[in-house]
Amino acid sequence: MSDIKLYADLYDNALTEKEGDCVARPRINGTLYNADIARRIVEKRTEYRAETIENILTMADEEKSLAIAGGMSVVDGVGQYLPQIKGVFANSTDPFDPAKHSLFVAYTTGKTLRKRLLETVVVTNGAAIVGPVIGGILDSSTGKDDGTFTPGMPIVVSGNNIKIGGTNAANGFYFIPAAEGSTPVKATVIVHNNPSQLTVMVPADLAAGDYYISVTTQQGHSALVKEPRTYKYPILLSAANAGGGGDRPEIE
């Protein structure tokens, strides 16, 4: 049996009317950065120093990013990356307008990752406790859903069972700095508070950088529950400053 295991929880399938059918969501149990990958490599290949490997990985990230931004397809063991343009041009002479158009990257699974996925044993853990689940965010000030948001402006958070309710002091919406040991920042203004959508004012003094978001609530599907439940969105987001967003490490 493979040593690679991925654990998943089962949730009610809201897209069908069939009673009892479910969809699975993998449990995201951490984030790896280049430094973590370097340490993992050292554990297997002790002739390399972690600092050297991390430096090479970082330089590779830079070169791959430059190549993709310059119109090249990049292929590695994780995947193939292709630059794409989103948006409609009214005619063939229209220039690229950042207000209407955006660049993004299309991704296809690479050979090495495909092999590992075939070796992966998926372990389902039965029905999940139905607490809050964040599905994504939209920056209202820019109209973008690319994982960036703007301090001092509202974001629209979509999901399930995310209405903030109950009297526990821990209930609320949080911005969690990516750096270890940092203190989460609680949003003080929730403009709209609905089960499937929140409109949250990002604190104006939130420093530019990388953050996770989380919601803690006692609001259940039909009534308040005794203990607060928390959901931490597993995708790393970037708070932009006046000059734009900073570097945003990708989740491996």
Side-chain angles (χ1 to χ4, degrees), residues 48-85:
Y48 301 111
R49 293 182 60 204
E51 295 82 1
T52 302
I53 297 170
E54 182 183 0
N55 188 44
I56 292 171
L57 291 172
T58 301
M59 290 191 295
D61 289 343
E62 178 65 19
E63 292 306 317
K64 291 177 185 179
S65 299
L66 285 171
I68 295 167
M72 297 188 73
S73 164
V74 170
V75 180
D76 59 22
V78 177
Q80 178 182 14
Y81 308 84
L82 280 167
Q84 303 280 292
I85 296 174

Side-chain angles (χ1 to χ4, degrees), residues 20-40:
D21 63 340
C22 299
V23 294
R25 290 196 183 98
R27 286 189 179 181
I28 306 302
N29 52 31
T31 300
L32 287 181
Y33 296 97
N34 281 345
D36 305 304
I37 295 170
R39 283 194 292 270
R40 286 187 169 201

Side-chain angles (χ1 to χ4, degrees), residues 141-218:
S141 64
T142 64
K144 294 181 179 179
D145 58 358
D146 60 356
T148 61
F149 60 89
T150 308
M153 302 301 291
I155 57 172
V156 178
V157 182
S158 59
N160 296 311
N161 301 320
I162 56 175
K163 181 177 180 178
I164 299 170
T167 58
N168 193 292
N171 295 334
F173 189 92
Y174 294 86
F175 298 88
I176 307 169
E180 287 189 21
S182 300
T183 302
V185 179
K186 188 175 184 179
T188 57
V189 179
I190 309 294
V191 181
H192 298 118
N193 186 19
N194 300 307
S196 61
Q197 191 177 88
L198 304 175
T199 302
V200 180
M201 288 297 299
V202 182
D205 58 354
L206 193 72
D210 300 314
Y211 293 83
Y212 293 100
I213 56 173
S214 71
V215 61
T216 298
T217 180
Q218 290 170 269

